Amino acid sequence: MEKAMSGAQALKLALATVLAALALTLAAALPQTAWADSTGGDVASRGEKVYSSVTAAINDADNTDTLIELIGEANEQVVVPENASLTIDLKGHKITHTHSAGEQYSPTIYNKGTLTIKDTVGNGGVVSTNETAVGVGSGSSTTIESGSFESVEGAVITGNSTGATINIKDGTFSASDNAVVAGNGSVRDGNANTINISGGTFNGQIKSGGYIACGIYAPWRDTFNITGGTFNIEGGAGIVARAGTVNVSDGAVFNVTSAASDGWVGDNKNLLPSSAVVFDANAGYPGMTNDSQVAITGGTFNSGAAAIAVLAPDGTVASRAVATAGTFSSDVSDFVPEGSTSASVTPEEGAATYFVGTPDDVAAAVTKSATAGSKVTVQKGDLELDGLTGVSVENKGDGKVTVCDVDAEKGAPAVTMYAVTFAANDKPAAATQYVSAGNKASAPDSPEPAADQCRFEGWVGSDGKTWDFASNTVESDVALTAKFSEHKPVDSGFVAPTCAKAGHEADQVCQVCGKVVAEGAAIPATGKHSVDGKKFGSDAESHWNVCTVCGEGVGEPADHEFEWVVDKEATATEPGSKHQECTVCGYAKGSEAIPATGAADTNNTTTDKPAKPAALAKTGDAVPATALAAAGVAAAAAIACGFAAFRKGRKSE
């Protein structure tokens, strides 16, 4: 039988019940900060205020573009409410959370609103020790600009959300036992999520037996736009898609280290290869539609297995993965549409690289990658390779393939072209000739020698031997150089200087080709005239000496010394002619007439004398009496003088 309770005891029990109820009410009213698992010190700041947890800072925020900065290490789960708009700057610190047993979904950061995560200092991060680093809710917007995100089953995941947007710009993302960035394939209504990846490093590994890792897991109607980032996946696949759309463009790199065998991904037990890209339509996920595919317009895809693998019913394989451009580690021509080209370059040592793109883009990539001894194989499409030499080219597709304007026919032996170049005096001397292996080059026109060269003698190879176009065949790239003979100069063309003109020493003239090798030095004019006393210049009044070399007048002018010269003797009936001529220089005045004599001159008394003095009367003039008298006196005086001289002479005998 039970003992009855006293009144005092009943009162104490009632009071204790009231106090317990009050305590529970107060606990419910307190903010979540009171229950956050913090480090025991200041962890976050918002403006000038500091908090012991990130959660406390969020709860105290006004939800309008608030910046929360870490000032210490945080050990907690951070939940961003639906109406919040926050930026969390890790500033070199970490937020770490451990998923508790029994919790269904517990990412370290769970964003339901608008959130930007960055680390402006470095070495900061978000860590989940046993689950997910960052998860998102429906309609949320998450932007990751930098930081480190470490997880076991997903660095960033969508979960069961719909209509969410995730933008990954940079950072390092790791998953040790599942996908690095993942969606969820469960049945649900709502808009698809959008995941944009433009940068970052993504590292995926696997620990669970039977499974393979993957960089991106797309099992629902989500859209992944991958324009950048490097995905390093050990023992798994780069992309595993079972629904939705995955768009990959130039800038994204997938490096996959193959697992020992195929494995599972997610909750489906289809065995998947460790390829760079896998589309598993056979899984039959509810989000898959006829438009679901991986569309590749660029990027680099390296894997030990096939670069692209599609598991799908017959007739639908090619539609699930389409590659219009990119670089691959294996032949993906089955997924290359018409209009694009696929070709590979295999070096003498090493694995082949496969290029997909437009014919021009593939030609550029092949030309850049191929080296002498490489093999180029065209799997699909047209390809025109200009100037590609020393490389064998084989056409295994149906397109038109040419190498240096030579057709490479489908099924025909590989074509190898070589370049024959021509140079003279370190400059191109003729157009490059492209010649298929084993054929002959054509001799170009002979180049012109330089000034110090005599004649073209032939083309010489790098071995110093003269190339014989009639017999030599081309087996490699050939560089031919023009050979010229040397001049054989002799002296020629000495010109002596004169008083007015300069001369020059003898030129050096090649006796083979006649080219002036070196011009003789100029010899200045002497400035000294040469006079021989025979060459004169003259005018009506005077004459002067003239240089016999240059014709220039020399010395002072001198008066003429004239004498008469009879040009034609006068006769009794015909007049003659005469002129005055300088006896020194030969200058002649105009001709004058000699009157007819009027009678025969039997005594030939005509002499060559100067004209009569003006005082003598002309023939036929009347003589004055005074003149006659004077003449008589003069004659008498002359006779008297003569007689006196005679007598004096007689006396002296």
Side-chain angles (χ1 to χ4, degrees):
M1 182 175 178
E2 295 182 359
K3 187 177 180 180
M5 183 181 299
S6 67
Q9 289 175 327
L11 180 61
K12 289 179 180 180
L13 179 59
L15 181 60
T17 302
V18 172
L19 290 174
L22 179 60
L24 290 172
T25 302
L26 289 173
L30 286 173
Q32 295 182 27
T33 304
W35 305 99
D37 181 14
S38 66
T39 60
D42 292 334
V43 170
S45 67
R46 185 178 63 83
E48 297 181 355
K49 297 183 68 175
V50 296
Y51 303 87
S52 60
S53 69
V54 178
T55 301
I58 292 174
N59 291 340
D60 194 37
D62 58 7
N63 298 329
T64 56
D65 296 328
T66 299
L67 171 63
I68 295 175
E69 298 178 321
L70 266 66
I71 58 176
E73 305 301 308
N75 293 297
E76 59 180 305
Q77 182 189 28
V78 174
V79 178
V80 178
E82 291 184 8
N83 60 343
S85 179
L86 303 175
T87 296
I88 296 178
D89 187 349
L90 301 171
K91 294 187 77 69
H93 300 287
K94 288 184 171 62
I95 302 174
T96 304
H97 175 62
T98 299
H99 172 71
S100 299
E103 290 182 316
Q104 184 176 2
Y105 182 53
S106 183
T108 300
I109 294 181
Y110 185 18
N111 176 37
K112 299 179 180 181
T114 300
L115 173 65
T116 297
I117 304 173
K118 61 183 179 180
D119 178 21
T120 58
V121 174
N123 298 319
V126 178
V127 180
S128 173
T129 61
N130 58 356
E131 196 192 55
T132 302
V134 177
V136 301
S138 296
S140 64
S141 175
T142 304
T143 299
I144 299 176
E145 296 181 353
S146 55
S148 175
F149 300 83
E150 303 173 29
S151 68
V152 175
E153 295 188 359
V156 181
I157 68 172
T158 65
N160 292 327
S161 64
T162 61
T165 299
I166 300 173
N167 299 305
I168 299 177
K169 298 181 178 181
D170 203 354
T172 301
F173 305 83
S174 303
S176 61
D177 198 27
N178 208 320
V180 183
V181 180
N184 185 286
S186 62
V187 178
R188 58 194 185 274
D189 296 325
N191 295 325
N193 302 300
T194 301
I195 300 93
N196 302 310
I197 300 175
S198 58
T201 301
F202 304 82
N203 303 312
Q205 297 175 325
I206 196 69
K207 295 179 180 178
S208 299
Y211 288 86
I212 62 172
C214 64
I216 292 175
Y217 182 46
W220 195 54
R221 293 188 286 110
D222 301 331
T223 298
F224 286 79
N225 298 309
I226 308 167
T227 60
T230 299
F231 295 78
N232 302 310
I233 310 302
E234 297 180 17
I239 298 171
V240 173
R242 285 172 167 152
T245 302
V246 180
N247 300 309
V248 186
S249 60
D250 197 22
V253 178
F254 291 85
N255 298 314
V256 175
T257 302
S258 297
S261 61
D262 296 348
W264 306 318
V265 172
D267 58 3
N268 185 275
K269 293 303 186 283
N270 286 345
L271 291 176
L272 304 182
S274 295
S275 298
V277 176
V278 177
F279 195 102
D280 180 18
N282 289 342
Y285 271 36
M288 188 178 69
T289 66
N290 291 335
D291 296 328
S292 297
Q293 69 171 193
V294 178
I296 301 170
T297 59
T300 301
F301 304 84
N302 299 313
S303 61
I308 300 177
V310 173
L311 285 69
D314 293 341
T316 64
V317 172
S319 66
R320 295 305 183 185
V322 178
T324 57
T327 303
F328 304 85
S329 57
S330 67
D331 182 4
V332 296
S333 57
D334 288 343
F335 306 100
V336 176
E338 294 298 324
S340 292
T341 294
S342 174
S344 62
V345 176
T346 305
E348 288 186 293
E349 296 182 2
T353 300
Y354 294 77
F355 301 98
V356 174
T358 66
D360 287 345
D361 289 344
V362 172
V366 167
T367 301
K368 182 178 180 180
S369 175
T371 56
S374 298
K375 180 178 180 180
V376 174
T377 304
V378 182
Q379 293 85 28
K380 189 171 188 176
D382 300 335
L383 189 61
E384 183 178 342
L385 298 171
D386 294 328
L388 184 64
T389 62
V391 176
S392 65
V393 180
E394 184 178 6
N395 182 10
K396 290 187 175 181
D398 294 323
K400 180 177 177 58
V401 178
T402 61
V403 189
C404 303
D405 294 327
V406 174
D407 289 338
E409 301 290 347
K410 179 182 179 180
V415 174
T416 302
M417 303 297 294
Y418 293 108
V420 181
T421 58
F422 304 88
N425 299 313
D426 298 324
K427 295 180 180 180
T432 298
Q433 296 181 21
Y434 294 98
V435 182
S436 58
N439 289 315
K440 300 173 185 177
S442 300
D445 293 337
S446 300
E448 289 294 326
D452 60 347
Q453 297 168 335
C454 183
R455 289 180 177 174
F456 172 71
E457 293 189 337
W459 296 99
V460 178
S462 57
D463 57 0
K465 297 180 180 179
T466 300
W467 187 269
D468 186 350
F469 291 92
S471 61
N472 287 12
T473 58
V474 178
E475 306 295 344
S476 64
D477 287 341
V478 178
L480 298 179
T481 303
K483 181 180 179 181
F484 298 95
S485 63
E486 296 182 354
H487 289 300
K488 295 182 179 180
V490 294
D491 290 347
S492 176
F494 173 80
V495 177
T498 67
C499 52
K501 282 188 176 182
H504 62 78
E505 301 288 353
D507 294 332
Q508 294 286 298
V509 179
C510 179
Q511 60 183 337
V512 176
C513 66
K515 184 183 294 184
V516 177
V517 177
E519 293 184 350
I523 303 175
T526 63
K528 296 179 180 180
H529 295 294
S530 177
V531 177
D532 59 2
K534 297 178 181 180
K535 189 174 183 180
F536 295 91
S538 61
D539 59 19
E541 287 77 27
S542 58
H543 55 248
W544 54 87
N545 284 303
V546 173
C547 178
T548 58
V549 177
C550 66
E552 185 177 337
V554 180
E556 293 296 325
D559 292 338
H560 291 301
E561 297 179 16
F562 288 112
E563 68 177 3
W564 285 104
V565 176
V566 176
D567 299 315
K568 180 181 178 182
E569 294 287 350
T571 65
T573 58
E574 293 291 333
S577 62
K578 60 182 178 178
H579 69 275
Q580 294 186 75
E581 185 174 299
C582 179
T583 60
V584 178
C585 69
Y587 176 82
K589 292 185 177 182
S591 179
E592 296 184 14
I594 301 175
T597 61
D601 186 0
T602 59
N603 295 323
N604 192 22
T605 58
T606 303
T607 61
D608 184 17
K609 296 180 180 179
K612 295 178 181 181
L616 296 179
K618 297 181 180 179
T619 304
D621 289 346
V623 181
T626 54
L628 291 175
V633 172
I639 293 173
C641 288
F643 180 76
F646 174 77
R647 290 189 64 188
K648 184 177 180 180
R650 292 286 294 177
K651 286 180 180 182
S652 63
E653 290 182 358

